[in-house]
Amino acid sequence: QLHLVESGGGSVQAGGSLRLSCAASGDILMNYCGGWFRQAPGKEREGVAVNYPDGRGTLYAESVKGRFTVSRDNAKNTLYLQMNSLKSEDTAMYYCAAFGDRCAATLADPPESRGYWGQGTHVTVSS
């Protein structure tokens, strides 16, 4: 059973940066697809980025390409999301999640009913 805890959210001005962390326990995160998702008030949850467990890289939503970067520290069993050039439309609750398979599909259609999810960390970007 994988347990995920996000941290690093906060308030920042447009153009600023934040780094979110997702610390895993209970299992080895590197064996899973690691993903970041977000949900703004009144909107559906959307995929931000999904990182393959086998070194094949990361898929990013078009809205964050070139600004956000996912990385892992396997020694710390942690997934990160570096967010640069933040915009007001990036304001949302950010969740990390881990899945055993179908990595790519989770980006387009976040499966809230499967996988392992953290409790979320809030990001507010003011313009």
Side-chain angles (χ1 to χ4, degrees):
Q1 186 85 6
L2 197 61
H3 182 61
L4 304 174
V5 178
E6 302 95 334
S7 61
S11 297
V12 65
Q13 288 193 326
S17 299
L18 282 174
R19 188 177 80 155
L20 306 184
S21 299
C22 174
S25 60
D27 202 346
I28 301 173
L29 185 59
M30 66 183 292
N31 293 333
Y32 296 82
C33 310
W36 288 96
F37 303 83
R38 66 187 182 186
Q39 188 166 17
K43 295 189 176 182
E44 292 188 351
R45 192 168 296 188
E46 63 175 358
V48 174
V50 175
N51 178 258
Y52 286 93
D54 52 6
R56 281 187 286 160
T58 304
L59 301 175
Y60 293 94
E62 285 296 324
S63 59
V64 306
K65 274 184 182 177
R67 300 189 298 122
F68 290 12
T69 303
V70 172
S71 61
R72 295 183 188 242
D73 185 331
N74 292 328
K76 295 183 178 180
N77 214 27
T78 299
L79 184 75
Y80 299 99
L81 180 67
Q82 177 67 44
M83 304 187 294
N84 299 328
S85 302
L86 282 161
K87 305 175 181 179
S88 57
E89 51 262 44
D90 295 318
T91 294
M93 183 71 81
Y94 282 73
Y95 300 89
C96 74
F99 307 96
D101 59 5
R102 289 176 278 165
C103 301
T106 65
L107 188 66
D109 186 17
E112 296 180 42
S113 62
R114 71 176 183 93
Y116 302 96
W117 290 81
Q119 83 290 346
T121 186
H122 200 266
V123 171
T124 301
V125 184
S126 56
S127 56

